Amino acid sequence: MLKHHIDQFAHIEITCGLFLDELQKIWDEVGEPEGDRDTVLLEIEQKCLEVYRRKVDAAKHCRAQLQQEIAVSEAELADIRSAMGEQSPHRDRKAGGSLKKELDTIVSQLEDIRKQKIERKNQFAEVLHQIRNISNEFWGDSEGNLYKAILAETDLSVRRLEELRKQLLKLQNQKSNRLKEVSDHLNTLNSLCLVLGMDLRHIAGEIHPSFNDSKGTKDVSNQTIENLAAAVQNLKEVKIQRMQRLQNLASALLEMWHLMDTPTEDQLMFLNITSKIAASEPEITDPNLLSVNLLNNVEAEVSRLEQLKLSKMKELVMKKKVELEQICSQMHIVTEAVNAMEYSVEALESGAVDPMYLLEQIELQIARVKEEALSRKEILEKVEKWLVACQEESWLEEYNRDENRYNGGRGAHLTLKRAEKARALVNKIPAMVEVLTSKTKAWEEQRGNKFLYDGGRLLSMLEQHSILRQEKEQDMQRQKDQKRVHGQRIAEQEALYGSKPSPSKSGKKASGTPREVATNRKFSLGGAMLPNPKPDKSASRLHPSKKGRRTSQIPAYSVKKHSSFAANAPENESLMVRKPLSPVSPLVLSKGNRDNSLEDQKTTRTSSSQKTFPHSESLLGTPSKWIAVCDEENRTPKTMPIPMPTTPSSVSIPMITATTPATQCLSLGAIMLENNDQPIEYSFEEVRVGFILPKTSCH
Amino acid sequence: MTSVQPPAPGRELSNPPSDGISNLRFSNHSDHLLVSSWDKSVRLYDASANALRGEFLHGGPVLDCCFHDDSSGFSASADHTVRRLVFSYNKEDILGRHDAPVRCVEYSYAAGQLITGSWDKTLKCWDPRGASGQDRTLVGTYAQPERVYSLSLVGNRLVVATAGRHVNVYDLRNMSQPEQRRESSLKYQTRCVRCYPNGTGYALSSVEGRVAMEFFDLSEASQAKKYAFKCHRKSEAGRDIVYPVNAIAFHPVYGTFATGGCDGFVNVWDGNNKKRLYQYSKYPTSIAALSFSRDGCLLAVASSYTYEEGDKAHEPDAIYVRSVNEIEVKPKPKVYPNPPA
């Protein structure tokens, strides 16, 4: 080529010479001056030079450009290499020869390395992405930036890549660990929930919704794991708590079964619970063993048994109490303890007192009372005998008062015998009392305590008895004296006026006095005593001034009491009895005494036929008919009459009732007949109107 | 008269009679109250409205009155007449006459007859549906052993209490003969007789503070149940002051009864359980009459001197209407199944 160039060049030189020759010839022919010839030739020469110079400049520029390109590429190459951690290979410029060749090699090199770099970058990106994903899973989004920043172009070395890969591996390991942990937790939770009877899905779902999705991946974030751990811990605590409660209940159950001999069928239901009484927490795995329902059931059973136990305890306490009371009553002891016990039974019901304690107390009391009973036994036996003797004595007194005691009836010989025995016994009473007194005193001294019999002191009872006895004897003496004096008086009168029937009644009456004392004593316990009509009557007649008799009055006539009128019933018994000095008048009608003897009535009835009625408005009237035996309406009160309080009260009060005489159906005629000799009674209205029964209708 | 009014013993009706009240009765259909008085009048009150609805003047003191229905009634007067009173026209006519003052009057819804008892020792039955005039209205005259003092009706039974303590029990369907002739169990003059609402017997009160509870059935078992009790008495300085028991009124619902005496007290009794249920505070003067309203919610009390001590100064006559609490009249069961003797 170069040869070709030279050829061309030579050719151009030849052409030029030719052109010069030709120009010479033309000029010669034209005759151009030599000076002009030289100027044109110089001009041509200069133009050629200009063209050359321009060509060289352009070539220089091109070369410089090439060199610059090479430098830029080389720099980039070096950059990439360093970023990728590669040694830049020593490069000889000569190898390539011309600049263009060099540029070519560099550009190709650069292209290669760029490709490499992209590959590397992709590798990094992939690893980083994975790292980021895992860390996101672990810690959430916030910390992912750390890894984003690292993905810069500056360091794409293999070492760095390895590092990242290691990190990734670590994270992956960590993740699998966490997954295992979570599943462990979940398993624990599951078993706990099973035992506690809770809904696992519910609890797990609360911690993270992903746990309920069996196919999806489980959440492994710190928060979740923490929550899971907390939940497990929580449930474990609950489990332990419930377990303790269950075990407490179970032990209570066992105790109660043992105490009350509960039948096995009843126990069977709760056997699975009592079998776990000594189990430790991990041992309890039966499903629902610690569920709230079951616990409540067990608790209900326990409280039922407790109730049962309490009632049985109460029963026992009551039984013991009854036993104690029985012993006390047998031994005639009145202890406050028994009363106090009453109180404690109430306390027991309210739960203030432990029944065991109460039971113990009662046992103690029983033991004490039994012991005391032993020491009292001797004296009590004597007291018994004494009381029997006293009873016989009172019977004897009663018997002695019976007028007809010697009238032979059936069984009379038996009572006679009894009386004989009783008399013998009665004679022994003073000795008995004496022995009893000394024994009791000895007992009291020995024990430093009073001997109480049914709450009262035995000694005072004895004393009272002897006082009563003395009184009785004195009474007896007095009566004897009286009898004697009376006899004397009768004798005197007989001497003066001749004989009279002896008032045997008064003699008999006298013996009745002690009995009256006794009845008084008895009655004073109840309500007010109403005087026994019969003895009272005769007594009042004998000793009119001695007793303040209750008189009943109808107010209408209370004013007229001492005038000649009383309400409706003329008092058949004359006032004479009460006021010995007032004049006897059939119209003096004291309303006091209604227990008339038959004789009294008869006398008044006969006298009443002559009665006159000076004041027509007076409500004179006797009950038109007297029943054969005129019963006092209160004669035999079946119920103890209690006087009605005069103050108004809203409390219902028993009526003062008395039996009334039997209803008699009478013939009209008989009444009419009897009416004739009765004074006529008038009602208030008749008096007010001034109505007087026409006599003709009666006669 | 000058004494201080006692604390309200019930609502006092205005326009009371000017003289003693002989009887008062509530209507069976309303709260109207018919009152007979010694001031020769019969008055009709509306007890719930406290208003005087009518007044009838008679020739003599009126000793008793009763309702026929809500529009008419009857009266028994001391002028020997038995009168019919028609409230709506304020008109009266004479149904018939006795030979002496007529003491009591009762209308029997069972027989449709009016029964009157008089001091002429007879009982007369009248048919008020007949035209007026003795010969047309008189059904029969029945002699009694004594002057009739009190009458009471239950169903077809009529109990007549007379002077001399006689008690005759009649069956209205056969008046020719008393079903039973009895003597009062009490020793003194009979003041009032009232039949039990259940028809098994009657209560009878006397002037001597006593009430006898009697039974019609003559079997031994029934007669064993009868008894008498004391009431309206005062014990002062060892003396019993005994007051007449003027009035007995049975409660229409519970069968318990109120008694009123000259002591001015009204007592309520439970005859089955032998208990006094209640004692109302004292009224100014004697209780002359008592009546429970048809439903037993009201009790009319006539506080009016009954001349038991003759003509003397006394508190003004008054009618009190008091509402009755259930607790005052409801029987209380016995405390002990067997009360200790």
Side-chain angles (χ1 to χ4, degrees):
Chain A
M1 185 164 171
L2 206 59
K3 202 174 169 184
H4 177 68
H5 271 277
I6 294 165
D7 284 344
Q8 259 185 340
F9 203 66
H11 182 66
I12 288 166
E13 268 185 65
I14 292 164
T15 327
C16 281
L18 279 171
F19 281 132
L20 201 49
D21 282 347
E22 203 172 343
L23 213 40
Q24 271 313 330
K25 275 174 184 167
I26 300 164
W27 277 337
D28 283 349
E29 280 179 28
V30 167
E32 267 303 292
E34 242 11 82
D36 289 340
R37 284 186 190 179
D38 281 342
T39 342
V40 173
L41 278 177
L42 193 66
E43 219 175 277
I44 291 168
E45 246 356 86
Q46 272 180 335
K47 275 188 183 166
C48 274
L49 267 177
E50 191 75 23
V51 168
Y52 272 114
R53 202 179 289 135
R54 268 206 319 259
K55 275 294 172 205
V56 167
D57 281 348
K60 269 185 187 167
H61 184 73
C62 182
R63 189 186 64 188
Q65 219 175 347
L66 266 179
Q67 276 170 341
Q68 196 188 351
E69 255 177 67
I70 287 169
V72 167
S73 296
E74 271 183 340
E76 193 186 339
L77 194 64
D79 265 357
I80 294 172
R81 276 191 169 140
S82 81
M84 292 178 50
E86 277 179 24
Q87 287 291 322
S88 53
H90 186 71
R91 184 171 55 88
D92 45 344
R93 227 168 245 242
K94 300 288 188 287
S98 70
L99 279 173
K100 284 206 171 167
K101 262 193 183 164
E102 200 181 330
L103 183 65
D104 277 346
T105 44
I106 283 179
V107 165
S108 69
Q109 271 180 359
L110 192 61
E111 227 126 85
D112 279 352
I113 209 147
R114 272 187 185 147
K115 260 186 214 154
Q116 273 182 24
K117 186 186 166 184
I118 287 165
E119 259 172 47
R120 185 67 63 82
K121 245 172 134 175
N122 283 344
Q123 282 175 346
F124 264 100
E126 202 185 328
V127 172
L128 279 173
H129 178 71
Q130 284 184 23
I131 288 177
R132 194 159 52 237
N133 274 353
I134 293 177
S135 67
N136 273 354
E137 276 181 32
F138 285 5
W139 299 289
D141 267 339
S142 54
E143 281 161 287
N145 303 338
L146 187 76
Y147 291 90
K148 265 183 196 159
I150 286 166
L151 185 63
E153 311 264 312
T154 48
D155 191 357
L156 295 171
S157 66
V158 180
R159 207 160 43 88
R160 173 78 188 137
L161 188 65
E162 282 310 306
E163 254 172 48
L164 282 176
R165 280 207 172 121
K166 263 187 214 155
Q167 205 176 354
L168 177 63
L169 207 63
K170 215 168 83 188
L171 281 173
Q172 276 168 340
N173 278 341
Q174 211 177 339
K175 184 179 170 182
S176 70
N177 279 345
R178 283 189 179 214
L179 272 174
K180 224 178 112 200
E181 199 182 339
V182 165
S183 72
D184 276 353
H185 276 324
L186 281 176
N187 281 342
T188 328
L189 262 184
N190 188 19
S191 61
L192 283 174
C193 284
L194 211 61
V195 173
L196 295 177
M198 290 174 176
D199 184 13
L200 171 70
R201 293 176 65 83
H202 176 70
I203 291 175
E206 239 172 40
I207 296 164
H208 200 278
S210 68
F211 292 138
N212 281 343
D213 186 1
S214 53
K215 276 173 196 163
T217 50
K218 310 272 192 244
D219 189 82
V220 288
S221 71
N222 281 353
Q223 189 64 40
T224 311
I225 289 176
E226 261 167 42
N227 285 349
L228 262 181
V232 168
Q233 191 58 33
N234 197 5
L235 283 187
K236 263 190 187 161
E237 270 164 27
V238 169
K239 183 180 171 185
I240 288 171
Q241 220 176 311
R242 288 200 187 170
M243 188 187 71
Q244 279 166 352
R245 194 165 141 218
L246 184 75
Q247 285 176 352
N248 284 344
L249 288 174
S251 56
L253 262 184
L254 278 178
E255 198 182 324
M256 236 109 56
W257 286 347
H258 179 70
L259 265 176
M260 292 190 281
D261 294 330
T262 311
T264 331
E265 307 90 74
D266 285 8
Q267 294 187 11
L268 223 55
M269 244 166 63
F270 296 95
L271 216 55
N272 58 335
I273 290 148
T274 46
S275 63
K276 294 283 189 234
I277 189 158
S280 58
E281 185 258 318
E283 276 173 77
I284 296 179
T285 51
D286 298 13
N288 280 336
L289 193 59
L290 295 177
S291 71
V292 179
N293 269 348
L294 189 85
L295 276 175
N296 286 346
N297 281 351
V298 176
E299 200 168 35
E301 174 72 5
V302 168
S303 64
R304 185 183 73 83
L305 287 174
E306 255 165 15
Q307 213 59 43
L308 203 67
K309 182 182 149 197
L310 195 66
S311 70
K312 283 201 174 164
M313 275 314 252
K314 259 189 241 163
E315 235 168 74
L316 202 58
V317 167
M318 293 310 266
K319 224 157 73 187
K320 284 287 175 190
K321 223 187 91 186
V322 167
E323 189 188 333
L324 177 58
E325 279 169 354
Q326 212 169 358
I327 294 173
C328 282
S329 73
Q330 263 174 15
M331 288 298 138
H332 300 280
I333 301 171
V334 178
T335 46
E336 295 84 46
V338 179
N339 300 333
M341 216 67 77
E342 203 97 45
Y343 178 70
S344 29
V345 168
E346 271 155 29
L348 176 67
E349 260 155 34
S350 67
V353 175
D354 181 21
M356 288 305 280
Y357 169 77
L358 194 60
L359 211 57
E360 231 168 72
Q361 288 285 310
I362 297 181
E363 296 272 21
L364 217 66
Q365 200 95 38
I366 289 178
R368 223 184 299 149
V369 169
K370 269 187 179 159
E371 192 201 334
E372 196 177 344
L374 218 61
S375 76
R376 287 169 67 104
K377 204 176 175 190
E378 197 191 354
I379 295 178
L380 277 179
E381 275 168 8
K382 290 223 176 334
V383 171
E384 256 355 278
K385 274 186 192 162
W386 171 57
L387 286 177
V388 167
C390 287
Q391 223 171 340
E392 279 302 294
E393 187 186 17
S394 59
W395 175 81
L396 192 60
E397 268 173 28
E398 194 96 18
Y399 174 74
N400 279 341
R401 269 200 298 275
D402 183 5
E403 265 189 337
N404 296 329
R405 66 192 135 153
Y406 299 125
N407 289 0
R410 241 206 265 181
H413 63 289
L414 289 178
T415 40
L416 246 161
K417 245 181 207 170
R418 184 176 167 189
E420 214 168 297
K421 267 188 195 164
R423 260 177 224 121
L425 200 58
V426 167
N427 285 339
K428 279 189 213 157
I429 287 180
M432 272 172 155
V433 170
E434 207 160 304
V435 170
L436 204 49
T437 312
S438 66
K439 286 248 179 205
T440 313
K441 273 184 181 153
W443 188 91
E444 289 193 348
E445 264 167 39
Q446 191 193 337
R447 300 212 131 215
N449 207 344
K450 285 179 182 171
F451 189 97
L452 299 177
Y453 186 84
D454 282 340
R457 194 176 170 191
L458 184 58
L459 275 181
S460 54
M461 276 168 72
L462 290 169
E463 243 166 70
Q464 224 174 334
H465 172 81
S466 46
I467 290 168
L468 210 70
R469 210 177 165 76
Q470 265 175 358
E471 271 176 17
K472 229 188 274 179
E473 270 162 19
Q474 279 172 1
D475 257 355
M476 212 92 99
Q477 194 61 42
R478 210 181 306 136
Q479 278 158 28
K480 268 183 199 160
D481 289 351
Q482 240 171 17
K483 214 172 181 179
R484 200 159 39 83
V485 171
H486 198 75
Q488 276 177 359
R489 211 179 334 165
I490 286 171
E492 279 167 26
Q493 282 181 342
E494 271 178 23
L496 282 171
Y497 308 111
S499 76
K500 267 183 186 174
S502 118
S504 60
K505 258 188 182 174
S506 68
K508 189 191 133 200
K509 191 63 220 156
S511 69
T513 326
R515 181 186 150 216
E516 223 170 17
V517 172
T519 44
N520 272 353
R521 207 169 272 279
K522 226 191 289 169
F523 273 129
S524 64
L525 294 169
M529 166 207 133
L530 273 203
N532 236 4
K534 272 191 178 165
D536 188 37
K537 179 198 77 186
S538 43
S540 73
R541 296 175 81 202
L542 283 170
H543 317 286
S545 55
K546 208 166 128 187
K547 286 209 170 182
R549 288 191 44 92
R550 288 169 77 86
T551 57
S552 68
Q553 283 187 322
I554 295 174
Y557 310 101
S558 60
V559 184
K560 299 174 184 168
K561 185 188 166 189
H562 298 301
S563 71
S564 17
F565 304 103
N568 309 299
E571 184 42 62
N572 295 331
E573 200 169 357
S574 92
L575 245 177
M576 184 75 137
V577 173
R578 199 165 291 122
K579 295 192 173 176
L581 296 178
S582 64
V584 183
S585 155
L587 297 177
V588 169
L589 300 165
S590 138
K591 304 235 16 103
N593 228 333
R594 295 227 174 65
D595 10 59
N596 310 305
S597 65
L598 203 56
E599 297 90 339
D600 278 338
Q601 283 177 30
K602 274 182 183 158
T603 49
T604 22
R605 185 107 53 92
T606 45
S607 65
S608 69
S609 57
Q610 299 136 23
K611 280 174 189 170
T612 50
F613 306 100
H615 304 287
S616 61
E617 70 266 27
S618 73
L619 298 179
L620 242 189
T622 28
S624 58
K625 170 160 171 64
W626 290 100
I627 301 154
V629 179
C630 185
D631 291 300
E632 160 62 10
E633 287 179 54
N634 296 345
R635 181 193 39 173
T636 42
K638 274 189 179 155
T639 54
M640 174 69 66
I642 295 166
M644 197 180 299
T646 50
T647 47
S649 121
S650 65
V651 182
S652 60
I653 294 167
M655 290 176 177
I656 305 176
T657 62
T659 51
T660 46
T663 309
Q664 296 188 344
C665 290
L666 305 158
S667 70
L668 205 68
I671 297 163
M672 285 300 207
L673 254 176
E674 295 221 357
N675 259 348
N676 290 346
D677 21 332
Q678 295 294 321
I680 300 160
E681 56 172 338
Y682 289 104
S683 66
F684 305 136
E685 288 78 15
E686 287 166 303
V687 174
R688 193 175 174 194
V689 170
F691 179 76
I692 304 161
L693 203 59
K695 284 275 175 195
T696 50
S697 69
C698 278
H699 288 284
Chain B
M1 271 186 274
T2 49
S3 72
V4 186
Q5 249 344 80
R11 191 153 45 79
E12 187 177 344
L13 289 186
S14 47
N15 300 318
S18 56
D19 201 348
I21 295 159
S22 52
N23 198 14
L24 49 73
R25 287 187 208 237
F26 268 111
S27 160
N28 275 341
H29 308 288
S30 63
D31 285 343
H32 284 181
L33 191 66
L34 200 61
V35 180
S36 58
S37 163
W38 287 84
D39 68 359
K40 304 184 183 177
S41 76
V42 174
R43 285 152 200 258
L44 179 70
Y45 294 92
D46 185 340
S48 40
N50 189 8
L52 182 63
R53 287 285 147 89
E55 191 171 359
F56 299 87
L57 282 177
H58 289 48
V62 191
L63 299 181
D64 199 3
C65 61
C66 69
F67 273 99
H68 179 195
D69 46 45
D70 243 12
S71 61
S72 63
F74 304 102
S75 66
S77 171
D79 67 1
H80 306 194
T81 59
V82 179
R83 288 169 201 249
R84 171 168 45 200
L85 318 168
V86 182
F87 305 138
S88 46
Y89 304 110
N90 211 21
K91 203 184 81 182
E92 52 168 285
D93 51 9
I94 293 174
L95 210 62
R97 283 177 193 281
H98 272 272
D99 298 332
V102 191
R103 177 65 188 91
C104 33
V105 59
E106 285 283 344
Y107 182 77
S108 166
Y109 292 93
Q113 286 181 8
L114 187 72
I115 299 126
T116 54
S118 163
W119 293 337
D120 67 4
K121 302 188 184 177
T122 63
L123 206 62
K124 283 184 197 277
C125 289
W126 312 89
D127 187 349
R129 289 166 296 193
S132 61
Q134 178 125 3
D135 44 340
R136 301 201 191 110
T137 52
L138 183 64
V139 176
T141 303
Y142 311 100
Q144 297 300 311
E146 257 292 355
R147 287 148 287 152
V148 177
Y149 280 172
S150 186
L151 286 179
S152 183
L153 274 168
V154 63
N156 279 316
R157 274 226 168 77
L158 169 68
V159 181
V160 185
T162 70
R165 298 164 51 252
H166 300 284
V167 177
N168 280 348
V169 181
Y170 282 94
D171 186 331
L172 283 179
R173 292 162 295 192
N174 177 18
M175 289 293 289
S176 59
Q177 194 82 323
E179 195 177 30
Q180 292 175 29
R181 289 192 181 107
R182 292 192 183 192
E183 185 179 51
S184 163
S185 301
L186 307 180
K187 283 175 65 179
Y188 299 98
Q189 191 188 87
T190 305
R191 279 299 283 165
C192 181
V193 67
R194 288 289 177 266
C195 292
Y196 306 160
N198 66 9
T200 58
Y202 59 91
L204 181 143
S205 68
S206 79
V207 292
E208 187 253 358
R210 226 180 265 265
V211 174
M213 307 298 287
E214 304 280 347
F215 294 88
F216 293 130
D217 187 357
L218 285 172
S219 72
E220 224 166 278
S222 284
Q223 289 303 312
K225 287 192 289 181
K226 73 177 201 168
Y227 65 94
F229 64 93
K230 297 183 194 174
C231 50
H232 300 283
R233 284 153 184 256
K234 194 160 75 181
S235 207
E236 241 173 29
R239 302 194 322 182
D240 276 348
I241 300 177
V242 185
Y243 297 92
V245 182
N246 294 325
I248 303 172
F250 277 90
H251 191 274
V253 179
Y254 294 116
T256 52
F257 59 97
T259 59
C262 285
D263 55 352
F265 280 106
V266 175
N267 291 326
V268 183
W269 307 86
D270 177 359
N272 290 332
N273 295 317
K274 300 191 179 176
K275 287 275 172 61
R276 189 176 73 183
L277 294 174
Y278 206 81
Q279 181 169 50
Y280 294 117
S281 55
K282 195 173 183 296
Y283 285 89
T285 180
S286 307
I287 306 303
L290 290 170
S291 178
F292 279 106
S293 65
R294 70 211 141 113
D295 53 1
C297 287
L298 297 175
L299 174 64
V301 179
S303 165
S304 172
Y305 176 56
T306 48
Y307 275 68
E308 59 269 19
E309 292 178 24
D311 200 353
K312 65 159 199 181
H314 56 84
E315 298 284 337
D317 305 293
I319 301 163
Y320 296 95
V321 176
R322 67 180 308 142
S323 46
V324 177
N325 283 330
E326 198 177 60
I327 192 171
E328 299 161 358
V329 293
K330 196 172 180 179
K332 287 177 191 164
K334 281 180 192 174
V335 182
Y336 303 108
N338 267 326

